[in-house]
């Protein structure tokens, strides 16, 4: 429901979901831009290839150092920024709409400092910096707040190595980037989906522990 405030601006108000039935875990990544505990994955391979090609083209144009080349370089940079914004908008809208429809909240990893902690190859570091995970997370949080959907941030440590079934943590649980295979209980799953379930579990624990002392519009830190 919208009300018009001073200057004619629209100010949206939405009833807060103070008692979510569960939390949807969202794992933000490089190959899969976002994977949810519902089993939905937003693949980023095609997007990453396009971004890499655009980056190479801009470098070539910048090396020419002519006014025409610099104008084209800025044009391509703006086009990429608009494309990334549109993709972030569509993914975040789909995620939040699903939680709003089912009476759930959203659980996200607290990725502050991820760039300093991540051990990645040169290409992956470039992708990490250019995609700006924080921006996609910010889109999700903004839309969730607007829709009255609660959000919980969780500690990202070992979410990729922890078994979502028995919660055994071991580096060897990740035999490959895409595959998770628990060495304790034998549980096998797609690695990103397993991580998203861990995020959902940690988020729910944070919500249950903090719900009596924190309003849902506040971000909970686990």
């Amino acid at each position: 429901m919208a009300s018009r405030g001073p200057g004619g601006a629209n100010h949206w108000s939405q009833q807060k979901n103070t008692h979510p039935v569960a939390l949807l875990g969202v794992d933000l990544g490089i190959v899969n831009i976002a994977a949810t505990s519902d089993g939905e994955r937003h693949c980023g391979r095609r997007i990453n290839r396009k971004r890499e090609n655009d980056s190479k083209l801009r470098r070539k144009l910048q090396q020419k150092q002519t006014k025409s080349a610099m104008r084209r370089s800025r044009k391509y940079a703006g086009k990429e920024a608009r494309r990334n914004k549109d993709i972030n908008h569509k993914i975040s809208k789909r995620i939040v709409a699903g939680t709003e429809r089912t009476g759930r909240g959203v659980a996200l990893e607290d990725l502050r400092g991820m760039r300093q902690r991540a051990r990645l190859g040169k290409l992956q570091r470039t992708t990490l910096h250019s995609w700006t995970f924080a921006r996609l997370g910010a889109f999700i949080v903004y839309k969730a707040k607007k829709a009255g959907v609660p959000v919980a941030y969780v500690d990202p440590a070992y979410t990729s190595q922890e078994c979502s079934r028995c919660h055994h943590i071991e580096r060897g649980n990740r035999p490959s980037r895409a595959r998770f295979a628990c060495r304790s209980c034998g549980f096998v799953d797609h690695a990103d989906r397993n991580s998203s379930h861990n995020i959902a579990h940690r988020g729910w624990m944070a919500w249950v522990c903090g719900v009596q002392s924190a309003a849902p519009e506040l971000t909970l830190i686990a």
Side-chain angles (χ1 to χ4, degrees):
M1 179 175 146
S3 61
R4 193 166 295 277
N10 283 329
H11 295 273
W12 292 86
S13 60
Q14 175 71 39
Q15 185 176 358
K16 304 294 183 181
N17 179 4
T18 58
H19 299 288
V21 297
L23 294 183
L24 177 73
V26 181
D27 179 47
L28 304 179
I30 294 176
V31 176
N32 290 307
I33 298 172
T36 75
S37 52
D38 278 348
E40 187 173 27
R41 296 200 303 271
H42 300 272
C43 185
R45 284 189 177 91
R46 181 176 59 84
I47 298 167
N48 290 335
R49 284 197 297 268
K50 178 64 175 173
R51 186 184 305 113
E52 183 183 356
N53 291 336
D54 287 348
S55 179
K56 289 180 180 179
L57 179 58
R58 288 202 308 275
R59 285 197 298 269
K60 288 181 180 179
L61 289 171
Q62 290 168 355
Q63 288 171 0
K64 293 182 179 180
Q65 294 185 341
T66 64
K67 290 183 177 179
S68 175
M70 296 305 290
R71 281 198 301 270
R72 290 178 62 192
S73 176
R74 288 192 295 270
K75 180 180 178 180
Y76 280 112
K79 183 178 179 181
E80 180 180 352
R82 289 190 296 274
R83 183 174 64 246
N84 289 350
K85 183 177 180 180
D86 181 62
I87 292 169
N88 282 333
H89 167 71
K90 290 177 179 177
I91 293 175
S92 57
K93 181 179 180 180
R94 184 177 179 88
I95 289 172
V96 172
T99 57
E100 184 181 15
R101 184 174 61 252
T102 55
R104 293 177 294 174
V106 177
L108 294 168
E109 289 180 308
D110 182 357
L111 296 179
R112 288 175 298 181
M114 179 181 175
R115 293 179 178 180
Q116 289 71 35
R117 295 194 304 268
R119 296 179 179 179
L120 302 171
K122 182 179 179 180
L123 179 58
Q124 286 183 316
R125 284 199 302 272
T126 301
T127 304
L128 177 64
H129 283 258
S130 62
W131 181 248
T132 59
F133 290 84
R135 190 169 299 171
L136 175 55
F139 266 64
I140 294 173
V141 172
Y142 169 76
K143 292 182 187 301
K145 184 176 181 181
K146 188 174 179 179
V149 172
V151 177
Y153 279 119
V154 306
D155 187 344
Y158 307 112
T159 54
S160 64
Q161 299 176 21
E162 180 181 354
C163 176
S164 61
R165 179 166 294 179
C166 73
H167 301 290
H168 171 70
I169 297 175
E170 183 179 340
R171 181 177 293 181
N173 287 344
R174 287 288 299 276
S176 69
R177 201 224 65 81
R179 187 169 182 265
F180 182 91
C182 181
R183 290 192 171 187
S184 178
C185 72
F187 175 66
V188 176
D189 198 0
H190 189 282
D192 292 342
R193 182 166 56 238
N194 177 74
S195 295
S196 68
H197 281 292
N198 288 328
I199 294 168
H201 173 75
R202 294 185 187 187
W204 184 247
M205 291 299 99
W207 181 263
V208 170
C209 291
V211 69
Q212 293 181 348
S213 58
E217 59 266 22
L218 298 178
T219 298
L220 298 178
I221 304 296

